[in-house]
Amino acid sequence: MPRARAARTYYSAGHVLAAAGAVLAAVFLLAAGGGAVGDDDGAPARTPVHVGVILDLTTGLGKKSLLSLEMALEDLYAAHPSFATRVVLHVRDSDRDVVTAASAALDLIRDEKVSLIIGPQSALQAEFVTYLANKTKVPVISFSATGGAAIQYHLPYFLGACVKDSFQAAAIAAFVEVYGWKNVVVVYEDDSYGVSILPSISDALQDVEAHVIYRAAIPVSSPDYRIDEELYKLMTMQTRVFIVHMLPGPASHFFARASAVGMMIEGYVWIVTDNVGSVVDVLSQHTIENMEGIVGFRPYVAKSARIIDFMARFDALFRAKYHQAHDVRMARPTIFQYWAYDVAWAVATALEKVKKDIGFQTPQDVGKNLDGLLPSPAGPELLGSILEADFDGLAGRFRFVDRHMNVPIYEVVNVIGEKARGLGFWSPGSGLSRHLNSTSIQDQAKYIIWPGDSTTVPKGWDLPVNAKVLRVGVPVRHDFKFFVQVEANHNTNGSTVSGYSIDVFEAAVNRLPYALHYEYIPYDCANSYDQLISQVYYKKFDAAVGDVTIIANRSRYVDFTMPYTESGVSMLVLAKNDDKTAMWIFLQPLTKDLWIATVVFILLTGLVVWVVESPTNENFRGSRWKQFSTTFYFTFSTLTFSHDQIIEKLHSKVVVVIWCFVVLVLVQSYTASLSSLLTAQRLQPSVTDPRELLRNGHYVGYQNGSFVHAVLRRLQFDERKIKVLSTLEEYAKALKAGSKHGGVSAIFDENPYLNSFITQYGKEFQIVGPIDRTDGFGFVFPRGSPLVPDLSRAILNITEGCEGFQIQKKWFGDATPSPEYGSPGDSPISGFTALTLRSFSGLFIVTGCISALMLLLSISRLLCAKYTRVKGPELQNDDRDGGDVYLTESIALQNDRGDGCMPDQHLHEIRGDDSRNTYAGDEIVTDVETSLMHDGYVPADCVQIEISTGQGVVETL
């Protein structure tokens, strides 16, 4: 024994041995007292209250729990000497038997007239005893029956002063989720205790996307060979994560057999529930050696000064009472002893309260006889008083929630050597964490020692012991060998398997973080891949690799990896030249709305130029037809930038410059699009819609054995119009012949097959679709296979990277064609998009706004010119007596051009129709040299105006 442990043992024995005798004496006096209890010094009498105790006294749990009850009563009455009641314990041994426990309960109620029963120890015993207690209204409170069977049957007089087994399900599921395990096996006792956890653990695991794939029921009294049979069955499964829900005794036996058959080695994961996790510190050395590396859960109890003191006293009293000296581990208390201590404290306090409130009836009134037991008068009050208990106990806060203790904080422990080392904690609020009041779980794995003394996190599954080499079925194809090709190898008397699907599978396996051994097994499925899938479903093959399509009906029986090809069913048809479309190809670069907008803006620009130039520019004058032709010839010539410099006004020049920029952009874009159209292959699919085939009664084809036949029937094709084709040559021959000559008008198949056909036969054929949706090709595995998620991630990495492109290039060339929709309204050239009005709307808005602005400015100037007239001269007579008249103001001649000439229409306004006017009775004579008129204008210095009166000419201008 180590020196520290020896010193601690000596201290406990030396200082606490005296307390043991005192406790035993007190218990003896309490048990012997039948009436009032008093002391020799005349202290007031104490009322004895009888409490029954049912435990399995042949087990360590029963012995320890009884001692804990006795210590609690001693501590309580030492702390409260004024209590008027004293609990008298009547202890019965149930001897691990349900009937014995029920009989003991009946004896305690009928003969001992107990007011309350503490126990029994197991959940199965508690279920029977509770019915009896519920009838007699004698409360039963258990600190170790965690199964919760009595609770679920709504028996109010049963209280569980412990946590229910179902509470730990969420903690276990959180642990499984952290390591990404998807499938687990639950091993449980084949009784009500073991079964009670199954619903909660299954639901909790399902919430984290894990599944219970098998439930191994182990009867408590099973011989070794029966347990070994079940263990060998577990070894044949792929799952290596096991959750064990047993009581400590059966669990010790089970792990001994698991170690014997070689299942406590590296790669296995063993998780035990709290009934085992709570006692791993006190199991025998031989037992704990068989549990090396297991992970357990137990309610967390903080180490306080009170706990340390209790442990020291308990250790000394237990070894003194039961002479337990050979293994000091087994003398330590566990959570069950803490709960027992708290129960005794709560019961004694509740009895004291009920005594003060209503008192106790005489024992004769409690029961009548064996056939008809009368209910306890104090039962309801005692039950209510216990339910109201709320205090800090050894195990934490003692308070009932739904007649059980509240959900505790669970401690995660790992069995290493002779002790359980803490790994972390789980709480309802924070989940799994490395430390209390923390949400971090980083690096938790490095603290765990797994079975086989391994520090590597198990992946949670392995190939079964009878199938270490993965048997992979591959279909034997007679065509479309791009995907799977099986050839006989005469050197090895076997087969050589190759193809696109094989290369993708092998690349994915190489990316797995572990080695995967497999062998290919060719399987001739007679062109029906449903037969190949059935071989996987019935476990003839461990997997199937090939061009197997993922569809809903198949996924009911097997699991598929992520698809590694594109999806969909499309239509293969002949390609034809469209001469009608080629004749009008020059219209296709621009959409209809862009053509209309271009013409509108050509006309608008011409109109603006004419309005601005026509008043002064002789090029835009003359007859109406001359003005129209000149204007719009000039505007259309801007499209080719061949227009003459015939405009003179600044306003019109601004309009033309902006329009020429728009034309430059538009013409360049048009030229580029037209070049793309002229250089592309002008082929159109002969059929673009399956409904066209139905209306015209054409024949269609599909690949032999393909599920596409069901698609055609769903599209309502007549069975007589559907032909089965098997080879690529048959595809080409049938399409070239056509429906009228014994062939087909279209072939429906999956996109990968059609793409491989186009790769070989070129652009003479075209793909139209997709017609129907599928998920592409995937690899097949049995339901629940752990390989599926790992391979799916590997496939995703391959298809997104260069490796996937290289594999595709190896089998299909540089580019694999993709199916395209073909409809009469679509562009016949794949990938071509006509130029739209939206692409040039900004330019049209700019040129429109500038043209409108220049037009408004020009019109405003013309209006100003129109309303500015030449004013007539005013002749003044200063003396106003008929004397001489003289000219006081010259005639203002308007000249819009500013070049010294005036329009002839202004001249006509001055001279009048007959070149004579009168002014204040005098005659005004104008003489114009009309021969000097040029373009409708007359130089101002060529106009002579004479103002005559009766006295002669006064002035000549």
Side-chain angles (χ1 to χ4, degrees):
M1 179 184 298
R3 180 178 301 176
R5 182 177 299 175
R8 185 167 57 252
T9 305
Y10 175 79
Y11 173 82
S12 300
H15 290 77
V16 191
L17 191 58
V23 172
L24 293 176
V27 173
F28 176 79
L29 291 175
L30 290 173
V37 179
D39 54 31
D40 296 337
D41 297 332
R46 312 296 184 189
T47 302
V49 180
H50 302 279
V51 174
V53 178
I54 302 176
L55 297 172
D56 297 331
L57 295 179
T58 58
T59 64
L61 175 60
K63 297 174 181 179
K64 291 181 180 181
S65 299
L66 179 58
L67 177 57
S68 185
L69 292 172
E70 295 169 348
M71 292 177 63
L73 293 177
E74 180 187 10
D75 293 345
L76 174 68
Y77 294 131
H80 301 85
S82 61
F83 274 16
T85 58
R86 289 294 183 270
V87 172
V88 179
L89 298 178
H90 298 270
V91 182
R92 296 292 186 271
D93 184 5
S94 60
D95 198 23
R96 305 185 186 183
D97 184 70
V98 175
V99 176
T100 303
S103 177
L106 180 63
D107 175 65
L108 290 171
I109 295 173
R110 182 189 60 186
D111 298 334
E112 302 296 343
K113 308 298 189 295
V114 296
S115 301
L116 181 142
I117 295 177
I118 299 177
Q121 188 169 307
S122 69
L124 187 59
Q125 295 173 10
E127 185 175 350
F128 280 84
V129 171
T130 301
Y131 286 104
L132 180 62
N134 200 61
K135 180 177 181 180
T136 59
K137 295 185 178 180
V138 174
V140 174
I141 179 170
S142 176
F143 53 83
S144 58
T146 59
I151 294 295
Q152 68 182 359
Y153 297 135
H154 306 290
L155 301 175
Y157 279 84
F158 175 83
L159 300 177
C162 54
V163 296
K164 287 197 296 186
D165 288 331
S166 58
F167 290 167
Q168 63 190 313
I172 296 173
F175 185 80
V176 171
E177 181 184 21
V178 167
Y179 295 101
W181 300 319
K182 296 302 181 182
N183 297 313
V184 301
V185 171
V186 177
V187 182
Y188 62 96
E189 281 189 25
D190 192 12
D191 54 26
S192 60
Y193 161 77
V195 172
S196 63
I197 199 175
L198 294 180
S200 57
I201 196 68
S202 298
D203 292 343
L205 289 172
Q206 188 172 358
D207 290 341
V208 298
E209 299 181 357
H211 305 281
V212 178
I213 64 169
Y214 184 70
R215 301 173 179 180
I218 307 295
V220 177
S221 58
S222 296
D224 289 351
Y225 77 91
R226 291 293 301 274
I227 297 177
D228 293 348
E229 288 178 356
E230 192 66 32
L231 288 172
Y232 284 123
K233 184 186 297 184
L234 299 181
M235 293 176 67
T236 62
M237 300 179 181
Q238 288 185 330
T239 302
R240 290 295 180 263
V241 181
F242 304 97
I243 299 175
V244 179
H245 181 61
M246 294 180 172
L247 293 173
S252 300
H253 187 202
F254 175 81
F255 279 108
R257 299 312 309 161
S259 179
V261 300
M263 295 182 69
M264 299 300 296
I265 60 175
E266 183 177 1
Y268 284 85
V269 178
W270 294 97
I271 302 173
V272 295
T273 55
D274 58 3
N275 261 296
V276 176
S278 298
V279 300
V280 291
D281 286 324
V282 300
L283 295 176
S284 64
Q285 184 175 357
H286 174 72
T287 300
I288 205 67
E289 288 176 354
N290 294 325
M291 297 185 179
E292 181 83 19
I294 69 170
V295 175
F297 290 79
R298 63 186 181 190
Y300 173 68
V301 177
K303 292 296 186 292
S304 61
R306 187 180 178 190
I307 287 288
I308 295 173
D309 176 70
F310 175 80
M311 292 177 64
R313 292 191 296 130
F314 186 92
D315 182 84
L317 290 173
F318 184 78
R319 287 190 287 108
K321 181 176 181 179
Y322 296 103
H323 307 289
Q324 188 75 33
H326 64 281
D327 193 345
V328 296
R329 292 166 45 86
M330 303 182 65
R332 299 171 186 169
T334 64
I335 184 67
F336 296 107
Q337 282 70 65
Y338 302 151
W339 282 333
Y341 185 95
D342 293 341
V343 164
W345 195 286
V347 166
T349 304
L351 289 170
E352 177 69 16
K353 181 179 178 181
V354 172
K355 169 64 178 176
K356 292 181 179 179
D357 293 342
I358 63 172
F360 287 100
Q361 300 293 331
T362 59
Q364 289 79 7
D365 295 330
V366 176
K368 181 178 180 182
N369 53 46
L370 181 62
D371 298 326
L373 295 175
L374 298 178
S376 171
E381 288 77 12
L382 182 56
L383 178 65
S385 180
I386 296 175
L387 288 174
E388 294 173 357
D390 190 355
F391 60 91
D392 289 325
L394 281 179
R397 197 69 183 171
F398 188 92
R399 180 176 56 197
F400 284 98
V401 177
D402 193 23
R403 293 184 291 134
H404 262 98
M405 293 290 99
N406 197 11
V407 181
I409 296 175
Y410 280 95
E411 182 182 13
V412 187
V413 297
N414 183 207
V415 176
I416 303 173
E418 297 182 357
K419 63 179 181 179
R421 184 176 66 178
L423 298 175
F425 302 90
W426 180 91
S427 62
S430 302
L432 203 63
S433 60
R434 183 72 181 91
H435 304 283
L436 279 177
N437 303 320
S438 171
T439 58
S440 174
I441 57 174
Q442 297 179 353
D443 299 329
Q444 185 189 59
K446 68 181 182 181
Y447 297 100
I448 302 180
I449 302 299
W450 304 97
D453 199 26
S454 172
T455 57
T456 302
V457 178
K459 60 179 180 288
W461 66 273
D462 198 359
L463 294 178
V465 295
N466 60 346
K468 287 299 183 181
V469 178
L470 200 69
R471 297 166 299 170
V472 179
V474 292
V476 177
R477 290 211 60 108
H478 302 290
D479 207 333
F480 293 101
K481 296 182 179 181
F482 293 100
F483 298 98
V484 179
Q485 183 174 1
V486 179
E487 297 178 338
N489 190 333
H490 301 290
N491 296 328
T492 61
N493 293 326
S495 300
T496 301
V497 181
S498 61
Y500 176 73
S501 300
I502 301 301
D503 284 358
V504 173
F505 174 74
E506 293 178 352
V509 169
N510 292 334
R511 284 178 174 262
L512 295 177
Y514 44 83
L516 185 67
H517 303 287
Y518 57 90
E519 62 176 348
Y520 294 121
I521 303 176
Y523 180 75
D524 192 348
C525 48
N527 293 319
S528 176
Y529 280 4
D530 289 339
Q531 296 183 19
L532 176 62
I533 291 173
S534 68
Q535 297 298 308
V536 178
Y537 175 73
Y538 290 114
K539 305 297 176 65
K540 302 295 184 181
F541 293 144
D542 298 314
V545 171
D547 48 337
V548 183
T549 306
I550 305 171
I551 56 177
N553 184 55
R554 293 172 177 174
S555 63
R556 295 168 53 190
Y557 306 98
V558 294
D559 282 348
F560 288 91
T561 63
M562 184 177 184
Y564 60 91
T565 63
E566 59 183 316
S567 61
V569 174
S570 297
M571 186 169 60
L572 181 68
V573 298
L574 275 175
K576 64 177 182 178
N577 287 312
D578 192 348
D579 296 333
K580 180 180 179 181
T581 304
M583 183 175 62
W584 297 100
I585 192 173
F586 68 91
L587 295 175
Q588 294 180 10
L590 307 184
T591 57
K592 183 185 297 184
D593 54 353
L594 184 55
W595 277 116
I596 294 174
T598 303
V599 173
V600 168
F601 271 84
I602 289 174
L603 297 175
L604 178 63
T605 303
L607 180 62
V608 172
V609 171
W610 176 79
V611 171
V612 174
E613 294 288 334
S614 62
T616 60
N617 193 331
E618 66 178 16
N619 293 319
F620 292 89
R621 297 186 59 81
S623 64
R624 292 182 179 179
W625 174 249
K626 178 184 177 182
Q627 295 181 48
F628 177 83
S629 61
T630 301
T631 299
F632 291 103
Y633 171 77
F634 169 79
T635 308
F636 276 100
S637 66
T638 59
L639 295 176
T640 59
F641 304 100
S642 60
H643 53 283
D644 297 328
Q645 300 296 327
I646 63 174
I647 58 174
E648 298 175 353
K649 290 296 186 69
L650 177 63
H651 298 161
S652 58
K653 290 180 179 180
V654 172
V655 172
V656 171
V657 169
I658 297 300
W659 172 245
C660 285
F661 176 75
V662 175
V663 169
L664 175 65
V665 176
L666 189 63
V667 169
Q668 294 297 326
S669 301
Y670 174 85
T671 304
S673 296
L674 183 61
S675 299
S676 175
L677 282 172
L678 292 174
T679 56
Q681 186 177 3
R682 302 297 306 159
L683 292 177
Q684 283 272 47
S686 58
V687 181
T688 59
D689 193 342
R691 290 172 293 186
E692 181 181 348
L693 300 171
L694 283 170
R695 287 193 302 267
N696 298 328
H698 288 188
Y699 285 89
V700 296
Y702 75 98
Q703 184 183 163
N704 184 26
S706 173
F707 71 95
V708 176
H709 180 265
V711 175
L712 295 176
R713 297 296 297 157
R714 189 167 65 248
L715 293 174
Q716 299 181 352
F717 279 96
D718 189 346
E719 187 70 38
R720 295 170 297 179
K721 298 291 184 179
I722 301 175
K723 293 187 176 182
V724 181
L725 305 172
S726 300
T727 66
L728 296 178
E729 290 76 12
E730 289 182 5
Y731 275 28
K733 182 178 179 181
L735 286 173
K736 291 179 179 179
S739 293
K740 296 181 179 180
H741 301 90
V744 296
S745 297
I747 296 175
F748 292 80
D749 208 341
E750 297 173 75
N751 291 334
Y753 297 125
L754 297 183
N755 288 336
S756 64
F757 176 87
I758 291 294
T759 301
Q760 183 170 344
Y761 282 85
K763 294 295 185 178
E764 187 178 357
F765 305 89
Q766 283 195 355
I767 301 174
V768 180
I771 306 301
D772 192 59
R773 299 288 182 182
T774 63
D775 286 336
F777 294 164
F779 303 133
V780 186
F781 289 87
R783 292 292 299 271
S785 173
L787 278 172
V788 171
D790 292 344
L791 281 174
S792 295
R793 283 188 289 269
I795 291 171
L796 182 61
N797 292 329
I798 292 171
T799 54
E800 289 185 350
C802 296
E803 187 175 5
F805 176 77
Q806 294 298 329
I807 296 175
Q808 178 177 300
K809 182 178 180 180
K810 172 184 176 182
W811 293 99
F812 302 108
D814 291 335
T816 300
S818 299
E820 303 164 2
Y821 285 102
S823 61
D826 292 342
S827 172
I829 300 300
S830 174
F832 171 76
T833 303
L835 301 175
T836 64
L837 176 60
R838 183 175 181 84
S839 303
F840 300 90
S841 58
L843 289 174
F844 284 126
I845 291 174
V846 170
T847 188
C849 292
I850 293 178
S851 298
L853 178 61
M854 295 300 102
L855 182 63
L856 290 175
L857 292 175
S858 179
I859 291 175
S860 64
R861 292 204 60 179
L862 288 176
L863 291 176
C864 291
K866 180 178 180 180
Y867 289 103
T868 304
R869 298 290 184 259
V870 177
K871 297 182 179 181
E874 296 182 3
L875 301 179
Q876 299 289 338
N877 187 347
D878 293 340
D879 54 5
R880 300 185 185 277
D881 57 356
D884 294 339
V885 179
Y886 57 90
L887 185 63
T888 60
E889 183 176 344
S890 300
I891 298 176
L893 300 178
Q894 293 290 336
N895 181 4
D896 292 331
R897 299 196 306 181
D899 55 0
C901 295
M902 61 181 295
D904 61 346
Q905 65 264 32
H906 291 185
L907 184 61
H908 284 290
E909 291 178 4
I910 297 174
R911 69 185 182 182
D913 296 334
D914 56 354
S915 300
R916 292 182 178 272
N917 290 300
T918 58
Y919 182 81
D922 297 321
E923 189 173 301
I924 303 174
V925 180
T926 60
D927 187 13
V928 180
E929 289 290 329
T930 56
S931 62
L932 299 176
M933 293 179 61
H934 176 69
D935 194 22
Y937 283 78
V938 180
D941 55 355
C942 299
V943 179
Q944 178 177 328
I945 302 175
E946 296 180 354
I947 301 175
S948 302
T949 66
Q951 300 177 356
V953 177
V954 177
E955 187 77 32
T956 298
L957 300 177

